[in-house]
Amino acid sequence: MPAPVKVAKPLVFLLCLGPLAALLWAIFFNQESLGADPPGLITDRTGDWTLRFVLISLTMTPLRLITGWNWVIRFRRMLGLFAFFYGLLHFISYIWFTVNFDIHTTIEDITKRPFITVGFIAFVLMIPLAVTSTKKWIGRLGGKRWNTLHKAIYITSILGVIHFWWRVKSDITKPLIYAVLLGILLAIRLWNLFKIRRKATVYDRAQPAHRS
Ligand code: HEM
């Protein structure tokens, strides 16, 4: 691992813990800042950070494609795991504050409230990605299968935006911003895929002798 990445990793790790630290600080030392509905705010903040980390981790590949900075990919795993971590906190805060550990209400919410259904699917899809994020799992599954599995993050990101969109009642500005950002990130990937496919076709056409 290049030395600057080695130094930056613990710093990025600490930075990623920032939102949690800010929330804990507010809970223990500055409760007025949590407003009239602290439990609701905790669920919202953890939900916000889940979606932000999903989008930040999805930014690494486009950033590498545009800038040529290959080292940014080394942060992708950590950022993805933080997305899962905040997703877990979000789910726990929902179980704790919204349904008060009532399994029947949870099941009813998941099956009957579309905004909870999509949030739940988005979260469940993150579990195998977090579990298989290690090098050992890449070896076990093989690169191709691992890559296919990890494409589930695109579904999580889309469902995460839909979840947010369906949750807001009137002002859709915030989910719209996330939707546009996600659209840009996915468009860059599609454009790159198209470029690779076209290059491969041009190469295949230029090599007819090898194919017979
Ligand atoms: C187990 C799955 C999930 C459940 C049960 C769940 C539940 C909830 C609930 C109840 C709220 C509203 C809180 C309130 O009204 O005060 C909420 C908000 C939100 N959730 Fe989730 N969620 C889940 C998964 C996710 C995932 C995977 C993401 C992101 C990828 C996400 C992102 C958000 C966002 C952005 C908000 C709105 C925050 C805001 O208004 O600022 N949620 N969620």
Side-chain angles (χ1 to χ4, degrees):
M1 191 186 301
V5 174
K6 225 175 184 172
V7 176
K9 265 198 166 173
L11 293 177
V12 173
F13 183 86
L14 287 178
L15 214 61
C16 293
L17 284 174
L20 175 65
L23 205 52
L24 290 176
W25 179 270
I27 292 168
F28 291 110
F29 304 111
N30 190 13
Q31 285 195 0
E32 306 91 76
S33 70
L34 293 173
D37 176 19
L41 192 102
I42 293 168
T43 311
D44 279 351
R45 288 241 180 111
T46 48
D48 275 338
W49 280 104
T50 309
L51 191 52
R52 283 174 195 159
F53 274 108
V54 167
L55 292 195
I56 294 169
S57 64
L58 279 176
T59 306
M60 295 303 110
T61 299
L63 192 63
R64 182 185 62 167
L65 289 172
I66 292 168
T67 60
W69 299 339
N70 288 327
W71 52 268
V72 294
I73 286 303
R74 299 193 181 246
F75 293 92
R76 194 172 51 176
R77 175 169 173 258
M78 190 201 295
L79 294 165
L81 283 173
F82 267 106
F84 177 69
F85 172 64
Y86 281 100
L88 188 62
L89 293 181
H90 183 55
F91 185 48
I92 292 170
S93 70
Y94 160 80
I95 294 283
W96 190 344
F97 306 128
T98 311
V99 293
N100 202 11
F101 298 100
D102 182 341
I103 186 77
H104 296 292
T105 315
T106 307
I107 293 171
E108 213 175 280
D109 263 2
I110 291 171
T111 50
K112 297 208 174 118
R113 295 176 69 192
F115 119 83
I116 299 285
T117 314
V118 289
F120 185 73
I121 298 171
F123 176 67
V124 168
L125 285 175
M126 291 168 94
I127 299 172
L129 307 194
V131 171
T132 61
S133 67
T134 57
K135 277 198 181 123
K136 210 169 153 188
W137 268 103
I138 302 178
R140 236 184 242 175
L141 290 173
K144 214 171 166 188
R145 266 200 292 173
W146 188 89
N147 270 327
T148 308
L149 175 69
H150 280 251
K151 288 204 167 68
I153 193 63
Y154 303 136
I155 304 174
T156 288
S157 62
I158 294 167
L159 293 182
V161 171
I162 295 174
H163 170 69
F164 191 6
W165 198 297
W166 285 353
R167 176 235 182 280
V168 296
K169 272 135 203 141
S170 48
D171 186 4
I172 55 148
T173 314
K174 267 169 78 180
L176 183 65
I177 292 172
Y178 283 114
V180 170
L181 289 176
L182 179 61
I184 294 170
L185 293 175
L186 296 183
I188 296 172
R189 276 159 196 272
L190 277 177
W191 166 74
N192 186 54
L193 200 73
F194 174 72
K195 227 173 62 176
I196 292 172
R197 290 249 163 97
R198 227 179 53 172
K199 248 190 204 162
T201 317
V202 170
Y203 180 80
D204 275 359
R205 282 202 193 125
Q207 310 277 325
H210 290 289
R211 310 183 84 200
S212 51

